[in-house]
Amino acid sequence: MAAQDQTLIPPIAPTTGTVDKPVVPLPGVADWLVNFCRSYSIWPMTFGLACCAIEMMGVGMARFDMSRFGAEVFRPSPRQADLMIVAGTVSRKLAPAIVRLYEQLPAPRYVMAMGNCAISGGPFAFKDQYGIVLGVDTILPVDVYVPGCPPRPEALLEGIFQVQRKLTGRRLVAVPAGLDLNMEQDTVRNNPGNTGEKA
Amino acid sequence: MNEFSLWTVFTLVVGLVAILAFIAGNAMALVWMERKVAGFIQRRPGPNQLGPAGVLQSVADAVKLLFKQILKPSNADSIIFFLAPILSFFPVALLFMPLPFSPFFTAYSPNLGLLLILAFSGINVLAVLLAGWSSNNKYSLYGAARGVSQSVAYEIPLLLAVLAIAFQHGTLNLSEIVEQQGGWPWQWNVFTQPLAFLIYFISIFGETNRSPFDLPEAESELTAGFHTEYSGMGFALFFLAEYANMVLVCCVATALFLGGWKGPFLDGFWWFLAKAYGLLFIMMWVRWTYPRARFDMLLNLNWKWLLPLGALNLLATAFVMKLF
Ligand code: SF4
């Protein structure tokens, strides 16, 4: 944040949109079942900002295929989407539009910051830089961070599993054999540039 | 059949309930099928995590849509905005009534069954128009305008193709049209009226807003078209109506052109369903194979090719019927 000169650049208004409380709260089991269904039907918004979006497209293609987890339905209208994947560099000019898109999502809604740019400004966080929002979490409430520049498609899939975990409280997709799922250490080891603070 | 009795009322009620269950079950199956077909065409597995081969995928989607917040844009027309999705789904139940799944599984078999279907399928266009108008969104309005001009245009060749069949059989009763066809493929109407079948099959893509003619919801230009502002169940109802309409047009095509419930052996509703699902599969195949047509192409194809060909076909049919 230090590089941002607050006296020259007016701050961006972060979102004030809050999620409405459910009208009728569901009893425990039903609530879990509904959340389970939600977690297998996470429709992302068709929305990409920079190079990370290319990787996001890759996840929809044959090799990685996020449709296996029911998440390939990219909805162009925010009204029908559940997940906002902020894939790429958020410039200050674009920030109000992104805030508005977030506010147009109906509840329940989730935000994923994909790539170092969206997490912290990534390669753009240097002295006297004036055009880039350093971290989309300064303007939106972010649920899941997927680090990398760009993150591997597997990482984005893992991000979706984390949204599922947030919904249901457990990991729904089995960990492949031989994979050490100590997430924090893995992230730091594979991305030396990342401090791992927000991973 | 036409006199009013307790038995008629009973069959109507049972028929309606069965039809609603049939529509909902079909829509679920079709959503799953569509995603699987899309997957296989693009060399992906498609949904395969939830249930065996992902069959529970559409259940998850339905529950999610059911529990999603419903938003109304602040400047939208509250009554029409919520009326439109209901109106798009409402005529569907009626449209399925005259369909002859088999001699036994026909809810209601009026003499003007075909006319009933053609008349009430127009209500869907009205729903699209109302949805686009009441959302107070430029994309919705564009989508609605496209939907109306497209549906009006494609209704005409569709009518001409259907009329040729009606000429040939001298009836508008779907069951009778099926009765007059035989079990083997060369006894079906598709054999005597191949041009009418082609025109019908192209027109139903325009009628049901399916790709390559899905201009009213073209996401590259119009966000989501006429249902841009609909979330949750509003969107789900439009979705349901779209799939129900697909099933309907394919069922009508089966009855008119493909011999309905008749097959080489063991006549019954299984033949009807198998043929209808074959046509549905072709519709999906086309959707995931062809890019979207431009709007002028769409209307040119209709006015310059389908309409004159349909008229010629009708004339030729009338001529042949008069001669022999
Ligand atoms: S994180 Fe890297 S790959 Fe992603 S948008 Fe930023 S610069 Fe591009």
Side-chain angles (χ1 to χ4, degrees):
Chain A
M1 291 296 111
Q4 238 162 332
D5 192 346
Q6 293 297 340
T7 54
L8 278 181
I9 306 163
I12 305 159
T15 177
T16 51
T18 50
V19 174
D20 296 351
K21 286 271 170 298
V23 186
V24 186
L26 287 172
V29 189
D31 196 38
W32 190 85
L33 268 177
V34 169
N35 276 330
F36 179 80
C37 288
R38 278 178 184 150
S39 71
Y40 268 107
S41 172
I42 302 171
W43 295 359
M45 190 152 63
T46 319
F47 163 65
L49 299 176
C51 6
C52 272
I54 307 291
E55 218 63 11
M56 180 172 75
M57 294 167 206
V59 181
M61 295 298 133
R63 192 176 174 108
F64 301 99
D65 193 19
M66 71 211 280
S67 83
R68 288 179 290 159
F69 314 101
E72 95 280 27
V73 192
F74 278 92
R75 292 307 308 175
S77 165
R79 302 282 189 215
Q80 293 142 19
D82 307 292
L83 173 68
M84 183 173 181
I85 303 179
V86 185
T89 323
V90 183
S91 66
R92 292 182 65 87
K93 264 203 155 166
L94 198 62
I98 292 181
V99 169
R100 169 170 297 188
L101 277 180
Y102 173 76
E103 285 169 349
Q104 285 177 337
L105 284 168
R109 54 190 173 184
Y110 311 95
V111 178
M112 181 193 290
M114 179 188 180
N116 292 352
C117 281
I119 293 175
S120 64
F124 300 99
F126 51 81
K127 191 167 173 292
D128 290 344
Q129 171 287 122
Y130 56 86
I132 304 294
V133 176
L134 298 180
V136 77
D137 52 359
T138 56
I139 52 173
L140 299 180
V142 174
D143 292 286
V144 173
Y145 296 87
V146 179
C149 180
R152 294 247 345 139
E154 294 94 331
L156 179 54
L157 281 181
E158 186 61 40
I160 285 176
F161 301 158
Q162 294 301 320
V163 177
Q164 289 184 336
R165 197 172 79 174
K166 200 165 174 172
L167 271 166
T168 57
R170 65 161 96 159
R171 192 192 161 89
L172 297 177
V173 179
V175 184
L179 188 69
D180 170 23
L181 208 72
N182 194 342
M183 297 291 301
E184 231 145 316
Q185 278 187 3
D186 267 358
T187 341
V188 175
R189 199 166 50 226
N190 294 339
N191 298 286
N194 192 309
T195 53
E197 275 170 22
K198 288 174 177 172
Chain B
M1 188 67 214
N2 277 333
E3 72 256 27
F4 185 81
S5 68
L6 226 53
W7 173 247
T8 323
V9 177
F10 176 75
T11 50
L12 275 180
V13 170
V14 171
L16 260 178
V17 172
I19 281 167
L20 283 181
F22 178 75
I23 293 169
N26 253 305
M28 300 275 237
L30 281 176
V31 171
W32 173 77
M33 182 172 150
E34 172 113 49
R35 290 169 81 166
K36 276 306 219 194
V37 168
F40 290 140
I41 284 178
Q42 298 170 353
R43 299 190 69 195
R44 307 185 273 117
N48 67 358
Q49 294 289 310
L50 208 57
V55 282
L56 295 179
Q57 186 58 52
S58 25
V59 178
D61 285 334
V63 171
K64 190 218 48 190
L65 284 170
L66 203 59
F67 285 89
K68 189 103 176 141
Q69 183 185 13
I70 292 180
L71 285 176
K72 182 183 81 70
S74 51
N75 287 333
D77 185 325
S78 341
I79 299 175
I80 302 183
F81 185 78
F82 289 118
L83 189 67
I86 299 172
L87 200 60
S88 87
F89 183 66
F90 155 77
V92 165
L94 196 65
L95 292 173
F96 274 80
M97 298 284 271
L99 285 182
F101 291 98
S102 81
F104 179 68
F105 287 107
T106 312
Y108 179 50
S109 175
N111 282 332
L112 297 174
L114 203 50
L115 197 65
L116 186 84
I117 290 178
L118 291 172
F120 278 95
S121 59
I123 292 187
N124 198 29
V125 189
L126 185 66
V128 168
L129 182 63
L130 288 183
W133 177 257
S134 63
S135 306
N136 196 21
N137 177 319
K138 56 182 182 257
Y139 298 124
S140 304
L141 193 55
Y142 276 131
R146 284 179 175 192
V148 170
S149 57
Q150 172 178 334
S151 291
V152 167
Y154 273 86
E155 204 122 285
I156 301 168
L158 190 116
L159 221 69
L160 291 177
V162 168
L163 214 55
I165 299 292
F167 266 31
Q168 193 186 334
H169 289 280
T171 175
L172 287 172
N173 186 331
L174 283 168
S175 307
E176 280 178 31
I177 292 179
V178 175
E179 283 294 351
Q180 292 182 19
Q181 300 175 60
W184 295 93
W186 55 86
Q187 295 166 324
W188 296 348
N189 280 336
V190 66
F191 203 71
T192 48
Q193 293 274 9
L195 189 60
F197 179 68
L198 199 67
I199 292 172
Y200 182 89
F201 202 63
I202 295 175
S203 301
I204 61 178
F205 285 94
E207 274 295 292
T208 54
N209 301 337
R210 290 282 297 181
S211 185
F213 300 155
D214 58 345
L215 272 299
E217 36 197 293
E219 34 191 74
S220 49
E221 313 120 50
L222 294 185
T223 315
F226 64 89
H227 55 56
T228 301
E229 293 289 355
Y230 284 92
S231 67
M233 271 324 269
F235 168 66
L237 276 181
F238 277 122
F239 217 57
L240 205 61
E242 181 185 326
Y243 278 98
N245 274 325
M246 272 171 70
V247 177
L248 176 84
V249 290
C250 286
C251 285
V252 172
T254 306
L256 287 185
F257 295 99
L258 300 182
W261 67 77
K262 292 193 177 169
F265 47 88
L266 269 182
D267 291 353
F269 66 89
W270 41 86
W271 280 109
F272 194 91
L273 288 184
K275 288 171 194 170
Y277 263 80
L279 287 179
L280 282 166
F281 172 71
I282 296 177
M283 282 184 91
M284 291 175 185
W285 191 0
V286 168
R287 170 173 177 183
W288 294 100
T289 311
Y290 287 105
R292 186 177 298 129
R294 226 170 46 222
F295 202 71
D296 56 327
M297 292 169 160
L298 175 83
L299 290 183
N300 276 350
L301 174 72
N302 177 54
W303 296 117
K304 291 189 183 162
W305 288 99
L306 297 185
L307 189 60
L309 278 178
L312 277 181
N313 187 50
L314 188 62
L315 268 182
T317 312
F319 191 66
V320 171
M321 291 313 289
K322 192 74 197 163
L323 269 188
F324 305 103

